Amino acid sequence: MRPLAVIGNVNVDLIVGPVAPWPKAGTETVVDHDDLRVGGQAGNTGLAWQALDVDFEIAANVGDDQFGHWLREAFGARADKWPVRPESTTLSVGMTHPDGERTFFTTRGHLPRFSLADVLCVLDGKRLGGGYALLCGSFLTDDLTGDYEAFFDWAGSHDIAVALDTGWPMQGWTPANCKAAREWLARCDLALFNEVETVTLAGTPDPVDAARRIQSMTKKGATAVVKRGPEGAIAIGPGGTLVRAAAPDVKVIDTIGAGDVFNAAFLAALAQDQPLTASLEAATRVASRAISTLPRNYGEPMHPREATHERA
């Protein structure tokens, strides 16, 4: 199995709900459910890999408080080298709604101070050579984002394929944020975006056309994936091949981190040298199971198979 790593935001999620309608100012609302959990795009990806019994590395930082200690404990020895920042740990409070969607309120906390030096003190380029590194939380990790070009150079020097999932920018998809994302995509081997992000960046409403445009923005031979929720997923592979995967019909309980779980299963399948179609199907299946179970369940472990295909 090829090596896997995720680099980005690990923070605390406090999920409460469901809430409907939105409360009026000055009132108190009693909800049926609360859940304090490890969160952030990198955190969600790492948790999915742990549940799927997939070996991986995770580069992150934490704040100097009880939440920071708790996050490190969740990843055991993998978090031994995580830097501890003097800031408080970033906290996201998520309000769920009856349709399974959610609204987040997030503090900046420690995440802006996550740096390239923090990444390199955790990850071993030689050990990750030939594998995949997922770069995520781009609009929250200010220091690292400012050094993305150096990160791409480092990954390239070790033959590490970079997958990008920027997450949703807090300022929205402004022209400046779109321009930055397109520049990052030019250095990436995989794009893992949801449908809204894809059509916004591509400037076209059709998801297939948008996926093709995103794929054209990436490195030669790269793959662009569009996560479409209940509509499943599509991917444009090397050579322009279109691949589709349907989503199972499930009762949605909690969509938080669904895209991150998808990323985890997709990359785990690719790391086992499974073809693009099988990888897309595995990602859709695992993500669908995760959002329809409470406590969250990811299905059976993804055991490595004998390598028979080229890296996507």
Side-chain angles (χ1 to χ4, degrees), residues 138-139 145 148-149 152 164-167 169 173-191 193 196-204 210 213-219:
S138 307
F139 296 106
T145 303
Y148 265 10
E149 286 302 311
F152 291 131
L164 179 67
D165 184 349
T166 63
W173 285 103
T174 63
N177 286 336
C178 288
K179 179 177 182 292
R182 294 182 185 118
E183 291 173 351
W184 302 331
L185 283 167
R187 302 292 305 274
C188 291
D189 302 88
L190 288 157
F193 288 86
V196 175
E197 293 164 343
T198 301
V199 299
T200 301
L201 288 172
T204 179
R213 292 192 186 184
I214 295 296
Q215 199 254 7
S216 72
M217 298 176 191
T218 55
K219 292 169 62 176

Side-chain angles (χ1 to χ4, degrees), residues 4-310:
L4 287 170
V6 59
I7 302 102
N9 53 324
V10 176
N11 55 261
V12 175
D13 279 352
L14 174 60
I15 314 301
V16 297
V19 179
W22 192 254
K24 294 182 179 180
T27 65
E28 181 177 4
T29 300
V30 177
V31 297
D32 296 329
H33 172 71
D34 68 90
D35 189 10
L36 185 69
R37 63 173 76 164
V38 175
Q41 286 186 269
N44 292 330
T45 301
L47 290 179
W49 278 337
Q50 284 187 165
L52 294 170
D53 196 24
V54 172
D55 191 29
F56 69 98
E57 297 181 35
I58 178 168
N61 69 341
V62 293
D64 188 14
D65 53 21
Q66 288 300 315
F67 277 149
H69 297 311
W70 180 62
L71 290 174
R72 288 168 62 94
E73 290 173 359
F75 291 98
R78 291 187 173 96
D80 284 348
K81 295 181 180 179
W82 287 6
V84 178
R85 293 291 312 176
E87 293 83 4
S88 60
T89 297
T90 301
L91 172 68
S92 285
V93 179
M95 308 288 185
T96 63
H97 305 290
D99 62 357
E101 291 302 322
R102 70 282 192 207
T103 302
F104 276 107
F105 300 87
T106 302
T107 63
R108 292 190 64 81
H110 71 284
L111 290 178
R113 301 286 74 85
F114 183 46
S115 68
L116 179 61
D118 294 343
V119 174
L120 299 183
C121 81
V122 175
L123 301 184
D124 184 330
K126 292 183 179 180
R127 187 166 59 244
L128 291 173
Y132 296 92
L134 172 62
L135 192 58
C136 54
S138 307
F139 296 106
L140 297 170
T141 58
D142 297 5
D143 289 357
L144 174 60
T145 303
D147 276 337
Y148 265 10
E149 286 302 311
F151 172 81
F152 291 131
D153 289 343
W154 172 83
S157 70
H158 293 288
D159 189 32
I160 301 169
V162 178
L164 179 67
D165 184 349
T166 63
W168 192 269
M170 287 187 288
Q171 304 87 358
W173 285 103
T174 63
N177 286 336
C178 288
K179 179 177 182 292
R182 294 182 185 118
E183 291 173 351
W184 302 331
L185 283 167
R187 302 292 305 274
C188 291
D189 302 88
L190 288 157
L192 299 167
F193 288 86
N194 65 34
E195 185 167 343
V196 175
E197 293 164 343
T198 301
V199 299
T200 301
L201 288 172
T204 179
D206 182 78
V208 174
D209 290 343
R212 293 193 184 280
R213 292 192 186 184
I214 295 296
Q215 199 254 7
S216 72
M217 298 176 191
T218 55
K219 292 169 62 176
K220 183 178 180 181
T223 297
V225 175
V226 185
K227 296 171 281 188
R228 306 187 66 202
E231 299 299 319
I234 59 175
I236 304 296
T241 304
L242 171 63
V243 175
R244 300 178 184 268
D249 185 13
V250 298
K251 182 179 179 181
V252 175
I253 296 176
D254 179 4
T255 63
I256 294 171
D260 307 319
V261 175
F262 179 104
N263 293 347
F266 180 77
L267 291 173
L270 283 185
Q272 297 174 25
D273 289 309
Q274 295 189 36
L276 182 57
T277 301
S279 299
L280 205 65
E281 291 172 347
T284 305
R285 181 179 64 254
V286 172
S288 297
R289 185 179 182 89
I291 66 172
S292 62
T293 52
L294 186 69
R296 179 159 285 186
N297 185 288
Y298 301 86
E300 295 298 318
M302 296 180 66
H303 296 296
R305 299 179 180 180
E306 184 178 355
T308 57
H309 300 278
E310 294 298 320

